[in-house]
Amino acid sequence: MNLRSSWVAETGQTREDTRLNQVGATTMVNPVQVRSGILPGSYSGQFRLSGFWMDKASAMTATVSEGRAVIQGDISQGVYPVALPAAEQITFAAGDAQYGRIDLVVLKIYDNLYDGSTRNEAKIEIIQGVPGQAPKAPAAPPRSLALYEVTVPAGASAGNGGIPWNTSLKDLRTPVVALGGILPVEGPVLPGAHPGQYQDTPNNQLQRWDGGQWVAYPEAVGGIVPSSAALTQGGYTGQYRDSSGGTLQRWSGSAWAPAFPGPYFSDSLDAGYTTSTTYVTTLVERDQNPLSLTFTAPPSRAVLVTFGSRMEVILDTGQTTNIAGTALMCLRVTQGATVVREVEDELAAKGAKPALPADGVSASTVQRLANLTPGASYTLTAYYRSSSATLRAWFDNSFIQVTPQY
């Protein structure tokens, strides 16, 4: 047997054994124990994990490639380093005549001090499963590291084709690295042992354990994470990413939001009128009432508000000539139930009609809202009035636009 171990044999540990097994691999799972696993690496540098790779040698025999690993015992037993400096072959028993079974290939530590086996060595072993209609793999014994599950079909033997190796192997290997190293993930994703631990996922994303979950690490602090990175959660407040829709987003600490929201826009192309001399939100003959817009205040605390309409004034009887009057449109600003700014004529967009024929005018205004609360939602609601109860003030193509200032 080529498999070497350290600090197991009562006598006979060679200097070569000791040198081969100085692996320094201690990926922690708690303050005392480490994760059992295989040291990563490959000859070409193309693969994360080549140690203890298993493949077909013959119909019922497999070759286990060289590698190094650590196997954690119970909490008081410590960790056992092992090394396989040359490939090893293992042979599976013939299949059951009626049912298939699943065998488990393990690295197994025999330590007489704890198992009473009278053996002190490391072995590559096959734990044979129980044949059945729905066979299950056996459990790994204490002080062992599972490498592969191997499905052995009913009747499989060297004389009738043996094990179908291309479909029968289930790789269970998982890597470990030295304390503080970045773990290349292969196999199951296991919880971290401490905040600040790092791992590199199969899709090449660096992640950090925050004490409760693995969080994607930013591509670079202060850099913009590309849309190709599946970053569902930000690494820090103020981080930026390019979303899949091409919009720059900023992590608020709890959610991704547009980094530069807006401009916001709402309009109505439906005409309506009022004869009210006090401001109202409802226009006769307009289906969309009221016209409103909600926006989120930017960090600058200021926005530019543009609003207006095509306005016309006619007598309530429908006459359009020799009429003087004014149509006024204004905005009420609210934050929830609180009125931040009330409507008043001084802030209105006005369309005035002198005593001569006309088809109406387009009027708009631009105003600055300041001292807003960053991140708070504000609502702008359009109000309208006529200068006289005998006049219909018509409003068409009405709009509201909010442009945040940065």
Side-chain angles (χ1 to χ4, degrees):
M1 172 63 71
N2 289 318
L3 191 63
R4 306 289 189 90
S5 63
S6 295
W7 317 122
V8 176
E10 294 179 356
T11 61
Q13 177 174 319
T14 68
R15 289 174 294 176
E16 191 176 61
D17 290 333
T18 305
R19 289 195 302 270
L20 282 170
N21 287 295
Q22 297 311 301
V23 295
T26 53
T27 299
M28 305 300 294
V29 294
N30 58 46
V32 179
Q33 294 175 294
V34 302
R35 184 185 301 182
S36 296
I38 298 167
L39 273 67
S42 62
Y43 288 109
S44 65
Q46 293 179 277
F47 306 103
R48 293 172 181 263
L49 194 61
S50 291
F52 299 98
W53 169 264
M54 195 170 79
D55 203 0
K56 172 185 177 180
S58 64
M60 300 297 293
T61 300
T63 299
V64 180
S65 300
E66 58 271 25
R68 295 195 293 175
V70 291
I71 300 171
Q72 174 66 55
D74 289 342
I75 195 166
S76 62
Q77 296 174 4
V79 61
Y80 299 85
V82 298
L84 183 66
E88 188 88 14
Q89 289 193 346
I90 54 176
T91 300
F92 293 81
D96 180 74
Q98 185 177 5
Y99 297 114
R101 71 171 193 271
I102 299 176
D103 292 350
L104 186 68
V105 180
V106 300
L107 299 180
K108 176 73 171 71
I109 294 291
Y110 287 91
D111 190 339
N112 181 58
L113 182 63
Y114 300 109
D115 57 26
S117 62
T118 70
R119 302 169 65 181
N120 292 288
E121 60 180 335
K123 300 280 288 184
I124 300 175
E125 288 192 349
I126 300 171
I127 310 298
Q128 189 169 306
V130 178
Q133 290 182 332
K136 295 182 179 180
R143 290 172 300 281
S144 68
L145 174 64
L147 299 178
Y148 283 87
E149 289 180 4
V150 181
T151 300
V152 182
S157 68
N160 67 357
I163 297 171
W165 296 103
N166 289 338
T167 58
S168 288
L169 296 182
K170 181 179 179 181
D171 192 350
L172 303 179
R173 299 171 304 149
T174 184
V176 293
V177 292
L179 180 64
I182 297 175
L183 180 69
V185 176
E186 287 289 329
V189 177
L190 302 177
H194 60 85
Q197 184 178 355
Y198 290 90
Q199 69 176 17
D200 184 46
T201 67
N203 63 352
N204 299 320
Q205 183 184 68
L206 186 64
Q207 295 180 331
R208 179 183 182 274
W209 182 255
D210 69 356
Q213 62 183 338
W214 290 106
V215 178
Y217 195 72
E219 298 295 310
V221 174
I224 297 175
V225 179
S227 59
S228 58
L231 192 61
T232 57
Q233 180 170 330
Y236 58 90
T237 301
Q239 182 182 6
Y240 289 92
R241 77 169 182 180
D242 181 27
S243 71
S244 58
T247 302
L248 186 65
Q249 295 181 325
R250 180 181 183 275
W251 179 252
S252 67
S254 60
W256 289 105
F260 302 100
Y264 304 84
F265 187 83
S266 181
D267 69 339
S268 174
L269 303 181
D270 190 21
Y273 73 90
T274 183
T275 58
S276 174
T277 57
T278 59
Y279 281 104
V280 295
T281 60
T282 300
L283 294 177
V284 180
E285 297 188 12
R286 174 181 281 182
D287 293 332
Q288 181 183 351
N289 286 299
L291 176 64
S292 63
L293 179 151
T294 298
F295 69 93
T296 301
S300 66
R301 304 165 60 90
V303 297
L304 293 179
V305 178
T306 306
F307 64 95
S309 187
R310 182 177 180 274
M311 304 175 187
E312 185 177 3
V313 179
I314 65 174
L315 285 173
D316 195 27
T317 58
Q319 297 178 354
T320 60
T321 58
N322 300 320
I323 304 164
T326 304
L328 300 94
M329 176 182 178
C330 195
L331 299 181
R332 171 180 280 176
V333 183
T334 56
Q335 182 186 1
T338 302
V339 177
V340 177
R341 196 179 78 176
E342 190 55 274
V343 293
E344 58 176 290
D345 289 351
E346 187 177 342
L347 301 173
K350 301 178 181 180
K353 186 174 184 181
L356 52 86
D359 293 327
V361 295
S362 292
S364 65
T365 183
V366 180
Q367 298 168 5
R368 184 174 184 268
L369 288 179
N371 298 319
L372 304 175
T373 301
S377 293
Y378 291 82
T379 300
L380 304 177
T381 304
Y383 280 73
Y384 315 88
R385 80 174 186 88
S386 172
S387 60
S388 171
T390 63
L391 300 177
R392 293 183 181 181
W394 282 87
F395 300 87
D396 195 6
N397 299 343
S398 305
F399 74 94
I400 307 170
Q401 178 173 310
V402 173
T403 305
Q405 290 188 292
Y406 295 104

